[in-house]
């Protein structure tokens, strides 16, 4: 697997066993996605093969500081499968046509195929993790998956509401994104026989920052860098931090009904307007603050190597372009 940019640094800091663990996850993902009938295999394999940062398996491994058994590979694979499943379903809900620089499953195969592909990936995730024979691990992943579903529902419930409260926005980010980051860290800790609470809290905090940054990238683009179309959130009525902050500084944005944003060109214009208020820098600053809090919450007693690698990954969450 090719890893570029800051991720390379994290992999190096995490230890020599990390690239091997990531390679083993990659092989397992390809096997799992390819093995369930031609149509599903085509869509599931395309989703996996399109790549992605593999950030969640990396977190599993860093949280497990030094462990490198098959159980860890299964945990990393399971988390990435849940993540991929939610992306396939998320693109149905968000009406998104581009993902990881490729057409989405819903764009190429339609809604039924995307629904079934996501379901398959979810099912395989739990089958994979169950092989570890640890009810506590299955519970961690299942709690995160339930939170994800609740987060997506909250997002739909708040769709088109330009004056959504900040607390509700943050709750949505927590449910749909932060909980899976938390689960990744908990699984790594459990597999290594370590205490999962504190590392889980670290994961939750960087997960929150990660979603804030994702929402910034949706407005800033460009698609060539993010692998997703600019303004997708505005077009499907998802009101996020940049828009919430920009409305405080631009009366025209404050008066804008998101339902009137009805084309990619209109979304681009609103993105430019949001950017002009300085809201992206303010949103980034908030995410940075969360990352600093997360680093501060790292437990005492970690090895110097583990602390350094986790700090690097936390920094990478806000210093990214995809
Ligand atoms: C995208 O996650 C979904 C969010 C939680 C914002 P990633 O940005 O980690 O997606 P990939 O796996 O790298 O494509
Ligand atoms: C994260 O939210 C979605 C999931 C947790 C599945 P987004 O809807 O912002 O993610 P992207 O931008 O489509 O990757
Ligand atoms: Mg989406
Ligand atoms: Mg997004």
């Amino acid at each position: 697997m090719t890893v570029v940019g800051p991720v390379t640094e994290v992999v190096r800091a995490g230890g020599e066993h990390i690239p091997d663990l990531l390679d083993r996850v990659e092989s397992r993902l390809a096997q799992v996605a390819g093995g369930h009938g031609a149509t599903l295999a085509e869509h599931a394999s395309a989703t996996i093969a399109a790549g992605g940062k593999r950030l969640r398996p990396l977190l599993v491994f860093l949280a497990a500081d030094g462990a490198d058994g098959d159980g860890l590979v299964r945990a990393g694979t399971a988390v990435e499968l849940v993540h991929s499943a939610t992306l396939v379903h998320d693109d149905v809900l968000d009406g998104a046509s581009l993902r990881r620089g490729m057409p989405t499953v819903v764009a190429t195969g339609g809604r039924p195929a995307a629904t079934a592909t996501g379901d398959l990936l979810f099912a395989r995730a739990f089958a994979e993790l169950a092989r570890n024979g640890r009810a506590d691990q299955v519970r961690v992943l299942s709690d995160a998956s339930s939170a994800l579903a609740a987060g997506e529902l909250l997002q739909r419930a708040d769709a088109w509401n330009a004056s959504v409260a900040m607390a509700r926005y943050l709750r949505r980010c927590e449910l749909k994104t932060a909980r899976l980051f938390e689960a990744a860290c908990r699984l790594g800790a459990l597999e290594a026989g370590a205490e999962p609470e504190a590392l889980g809290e670290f994961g939750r905090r960087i997960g929150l920052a990660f979603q804030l940054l994702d929402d910034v990238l949706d407005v800033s683009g460009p698609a060539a860098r993010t692998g997703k179309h600019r303004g997708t959130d505005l077009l499907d009525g998802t009101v996020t931090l940049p828009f919430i902050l920009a409305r405080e500084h631009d009366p025209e944005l404050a008066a804008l009904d998101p339902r009137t944003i009805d084309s990619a060109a209109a979304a681009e214009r609103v993105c430019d307007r949001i950017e002009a208020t300085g809201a992206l820098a303010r949103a980034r600053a908030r995410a940075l603050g969360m990352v600093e809090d997360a680093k501060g919450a790292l437990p005492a007693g970690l090895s110097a190597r583990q602390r350094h690698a986790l700090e690097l990954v936390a920094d990478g969450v806000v210093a990214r372009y995809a």
Side-chain angles (χ1 to χ4, degrees):
M1 179 193 163
T2 321
V3 281
V4 289
V7 179
T8 318
E9 223 182 303
V10 177
V11 167
R12 202 176 299 128
E16 281 168 7
H17 63 301
I18 301 281
D20 176 56
L21 283 171
L22 286 169
D23 280 343
R24 284 154 71 194
V25 164
E26 217 52 46
S27 313
R28 189 61 195 143
L29 285 171
Q31 270 172 9
V32 167
H36 298 274
T39 309
L40 281 177
E42 179 195 325
H43 293 303
S45 300
T47 301
I48 297 297
K53 295 177 284 296
R54 307 300 194 237
L55 181 55
R56 294 154 190 82
L58 182 60
L59 277 176
V60 173
F61 303 150
L62 296 180
D65 191 32
D68 67 352
D70 288 341
L72 204 57
V73 173
R74 284 193 284 269
T77 303
V79 172
E80 188 65 16
L81 285 169
V82 164
H83 168 57
S84 300
T86 65
L87 294 184
V88 173
H89 282 172
D90 179 68
D91 290 333
V92 176
L93 296 169
D94 294 353
S97 59
L98 198 66
R99 162 78 56 197
R100 296 172 167 170
M102 308 290 282
T104 54
V105 180
V106 65
T108 53
R111 214 184 155 99
T115 307
T117 302
D119 288 348
L120 170 84
L121 291 167
F122 265 120
R124 297 326 298 167
F126 284 94
E128 190 70 7
L129 192 61
R131 290 173 61 212
N132 280 358
R134 296 266 309 252
D136 55 350
Q137 293 188 7
V138 173
R139 200 171 311 115
V140 163
L141 194 61
S142 129
D143 285 350
S145 302
S146 307
L148 261 156
E152 289 282 18
L153 285 173
L154 186 57
Q155 180 160 310
R156 288 325 329 150
D158 287 344
W160 312 110
N161 178 8
S163 54
V164 63
M166 181 74 82
R168 265 180 88 97
Y169 163 76
L170 290 172
R171 173 97 187 119
R172 181 209 305 167
C173 295
E174 155 112 29
L175 289 169
K176 75 172 185 171
T177 305
R179 292 285 185 84
L180 191 60
F181 276 66
E182 177 182 350
C185 290
R186 279 179 177 266
L187 288 174
L190 285 173
E191 204 35 49
E195 200 278 312
E197 294 298 326
L199 285 172
E201 179 59 17
F202 167 81
R204 192 185 70 78
R205 290 180 191 217
I206 65 167
L208 209 48
F210 185 87
Q211 184 61 48
L212 261 56
L213 230 287
D214 182 80
D215 294 342
V216 167
L217 292 173
D218 197 89
V219 176
S220 68
R225 241 175 164 172
T226 64
K228 305 184 263 197
H229 288 302
R230 188 174 180 224
T232 297
D233 289 339
L234 289 169
L235 278 170
D236 85 317
T238 303
V239 174
T240 65
L241 187 60
F243 189 44
I244 294 172
L245 295 177
R247 290 176 82 247
E248 294 168 0
H249 292 262
D250 179 335
E252 226 175 276
L253 283 178
L256 180 74
D257 177 353
R259 287 185 195 277
T260 60
I261 308 168
D262 56 2
S263 68
E268 289 270 352
R269 280 195 298 277
V270 177
C271 286
D272 287 341
R273 223 183 148 103
I274 292 174
E275 209 162 356
T277 67
L280 297 188
R282 286 198 296 280
R284 265 182 208 280
R286 253 191 113 109
L288 261 173
M290 290 175 177
V291 161
E292 288 312 312
D293 289 349
K295 291 197 280 187
L298 278 172
L302 297 182
S303 71
R305 177 181 78 175
Q306 188 180 22
R307 179 176 297 277
H308 178 57
L310 289 170
E311 284 177 353
L312 276 179
V313 97
D315 290 337
V317 156
V318 278
R320 68 192 177 100
Y321 296 98

